[in-house]
């Protein structure tokens, strides 16, 4: 009996020790990330991840990191292989997550878009959550993308691979800047939607085109006409400033889920240098309007702008 009691005591101690180790071990597999004004304990190499921010989807795809859930509604065409992957659960839309689907996935980590912060308080009840993306004004645009790439490298312990991807973007930007610097042509960036135009210049979400790529603007923007969402203009305005290159983002193509942008033209536009010299460049609407915060869409940005100078 005495031997049995000793055996039971040793077994209890062993089980208690194992329980403590199981509870304590995961604590050493976290890193602390400052995000959204708070410190988030993020698991290293999380096993189950929900991605509700397209730049993160792009960067994880570029780095070969698998994830188990994503916001599939309005997926950019260049991420269709992820949308069609049956092993990746549908989490709704970036702007309207399906919280029940996220909860059923029971993720170790959630990435969500910083453009929709109202969902954050609900999301952190489900799992540790990081809000990533690009600041409204688009200042230091490339730096934010690179920081997010490096963050993934740290979380998944593939920092050299992440650094290679971040540096590759630097090389591509420098090549574009060199190409643009050889031209004195002036450009205009507009979004077209249902026959209306919005101008996007230095102080808007696409300001990096001018600030970081060195594209020369056809307009002189003042504080009164510049904002993150662009400024309403008309065909007369475009003709008045007469851009040598006209970059167009066709929002209607997104709404219509069209494979190609619509051809935008009228009698006034056709009088501009851009139309006369066939230098109207339709920017990939999926990259420019639906995403833009990851390596894949940023590379599309660079290729699209280069078309205006080749």
């Amino acid at each position: 009996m005495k031997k049995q009691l000793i055996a039971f005591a040793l077994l209890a101690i062993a089980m208690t020790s194992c329980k403590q180790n199981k509870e304590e071990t995961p604590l050493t597999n976290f890193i602390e990330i400052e995000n959204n004004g708070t410190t988030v304990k993020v698991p290293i190499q999380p096993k189950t991840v929900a991605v509700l921010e397209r730049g993160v989807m792009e960067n994880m795809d570029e780095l070969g990191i698998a994830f188990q859930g994503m916001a599939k509604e309005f997926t950019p065409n260049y991420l269709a292989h992820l949308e069609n992957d049956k092993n990746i659960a549908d989490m709704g839309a970036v702007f309207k997550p399906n919280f029940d689907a996220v909860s059923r996935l029971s993720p170790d980590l959630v990435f969500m878009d910083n453009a929709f912060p109202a969902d954050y308080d609900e999301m952190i009840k489900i799992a540790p959550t990081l809000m990533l993306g690009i600041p409204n004004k688009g200042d230091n645009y490339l730096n934010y993308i690179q920081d997010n790439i490096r963050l993934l490298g740290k979380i998944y312990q593939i920092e050299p691979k992440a650094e290679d991807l971040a540096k590759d973007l630097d090389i591509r930007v420098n090549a574009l800047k060199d190409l643009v610097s050889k031209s004195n042509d002036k450009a205009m960036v507009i979004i077209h939607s249902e026959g209306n135009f919005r101008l996007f210049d230095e102080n808007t979400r696409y300001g990096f085109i001018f600030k970081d790529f060195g594209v020369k603007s056809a307009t002189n923007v003042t504080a009164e006409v510049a904002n993150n969402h662009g400024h309403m203009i008309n065909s007369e305005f475009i003709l008045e400033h007469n851009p040598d290159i006209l970059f167009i983002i066709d929002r209607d193509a997104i709404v219509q889920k069209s494979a190609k942008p619509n051809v935008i033209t009228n009698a006034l536009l056709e009088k501009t240098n851009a139309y006369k010299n066939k230098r109207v460049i339709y920017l990939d609407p999926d990259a420019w309007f639906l995403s833009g915060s990851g390596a894949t869409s940023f590379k599309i940005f660079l290729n699209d702008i280069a078309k205006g100078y080749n």
Side-chain angles (χ1 to χ4, degrees):
M1 177 66 72
K2 189 173 182 180
K3 289 181 180 179
Q4 289 178 330
L5 289 173
I6 292 172
F8 281 127
L10 290 174
L11 179 61
I13 292 171
M15 291 177 66
T16 300
S17 177
C18 289
K19 184 178 180 181
Q20 288 176 341
N21 287 339
K22 186 176 181 181
E23 291 175 350
E24 292 173 3
T25 299
L27 296 179
T28 65
N29 293 325
F30 284 79
I31 55 175
E32 293 186 341
I33 304 294
E34 295 300 318
N35 183 259
N36 192 37
T38 188
T39 301
V40 183
K41 295 182 73 174
V42 177
I44 293 292
Q45 296 181 327
K47 302 298 182 186
T48 307
V49 177
V51 185
L52 308 172
E53 202 279 321
R54 293 193 180 97
V56 175
M57 296 177 198
E58 295 176 17
N59 294 337
M60 293 181 75
D61 189 44
E62 293 262 358
L63 294 169
I65 303 170
F67 47 91
Q68 292 65 45
M70 65 178 276
K72 290 192 174 184
E73 190 171 346
F74 286 104
T75 299
N77 53 32
Y78 54 84
L79 294 181
H81 59 288
L82 299 177
E83 180 186 17
N84 297 328
D85 189 336
K86 294 181 180 179
N87 293 318
I88 301 177
D90 187 357
M91 303 285 101
V94 167
F95 54 86
K96 191 177 180 180
N98 183 330
F99 289 101
D100 288 339
V102 177
S103 183
R104 285 195 299 272
L105 186 67
S106 189
D108 303 311
L109 179 64
V110 175
F111 292 102
M112 61 173 287
D113 196 319
N114 60 9
F116 307 100
D119 295 324
Y120 181 78
D121 289 342
E122 187 69 24
M123 202 64 71
I124 59 174
K125 296 176 184 177
I126 299 174
T129 301
L130 292 177
M131 288 206 306
L132 301 179
I134 301 294
N136 283 340
K137 287 296 182 183
D139 291 336
N140 300 314
Y141 202 103
L142 175 58
N143 289 343
Y144 278 98
I145 293 176
Q146 291 173 320
D147 287 346
N148 291 345
I149 290 170
R150 292 179 176 120
L151 175 60
L152 288 173
K154 189 174 183 181
I155 293 172
Y156 286 91
Q157 297 186 321
I158 53 169
E159 291 172 276
K161 188 174 184 178
E163 189 63 29
D164 285 345
L165 179 58
K167 288 182 177 178
D168 176 66
L169 297 182
D170 280 326
I171 294 170
R172 292 170 184 262
V173 168
N174 289 333
L176 177 62
K177 288 170 65 176
D178 182 61
L179 175 66
V180 171
S181 69
K182 297 173 182 176
S183 171
N184 291 319
D185 292 329
K186 295 183 178 181
M188 188 181 291
V189 179
I190 62 173
I191 281 184
H192 168 262
S193 178
E194 298 181 335
N196 298 309
F197 301 110
R198 279 189 174 273
L199 171 71
F200 285 81
D201 220 305
E202 288 94 332
N203 298 317
T204 66
R205 62 187 289 192
Y206 300 122
F208 62 88
I209 295 172
F210 306 96
K211 296 175 182 177
D212 299 339
F213 299 168
V215 171
K216 297 173 180 64
S217 175
T219 62
N220 294 317
V221 176
T222 65
E224 288 76 24
V225 300
N227 63 72
N228 188 48
H229 300 290
H231 177 65
M232 286 293 295
I233 60 172
N234 54 28
S235 298
E236 287 82 358
F237 179 95
I238 298 172
L239 176 57
E240 177 187 351
H241 291 83
N242 195 18
D244 300 300
I245 309 168
L246 184 61
F247 295 108
I248 300 178
I249 304 169
D250 181 29
R251 183 179 179 274
D252 290 349
I254 297 294
V255 176
Q256 298 163 0
K257 297 185 178 180
S258 173
K260 293 182 179 181
N262 300 293
V263 175
I264 313 301
T265 188
N266 61 45
L268 291 176
L269 295 179
E270 289 175 0
K271 293 180 181 180
T272 63
N273 289 338
Y275 273 82
K276 288 178 181 177
N277 298 318
K278 301 186 184 303
R279 298 179 74 187
V280 178
I281 310 300
Y282 291 93
L283 306 179
D284 185 319
D286 277 8
W288 288 85
F289 196 79
L290 288 180
S291 186
S293 55
T296 309
S297 53
F298 192 77
K299 286 188 278 190
I300 293 173
F301 286 3
L302 297 172
N303 290 334
D304 278 355
I305 297 301
K307 292 175 185 177
Y309 297 88
N310 288 326

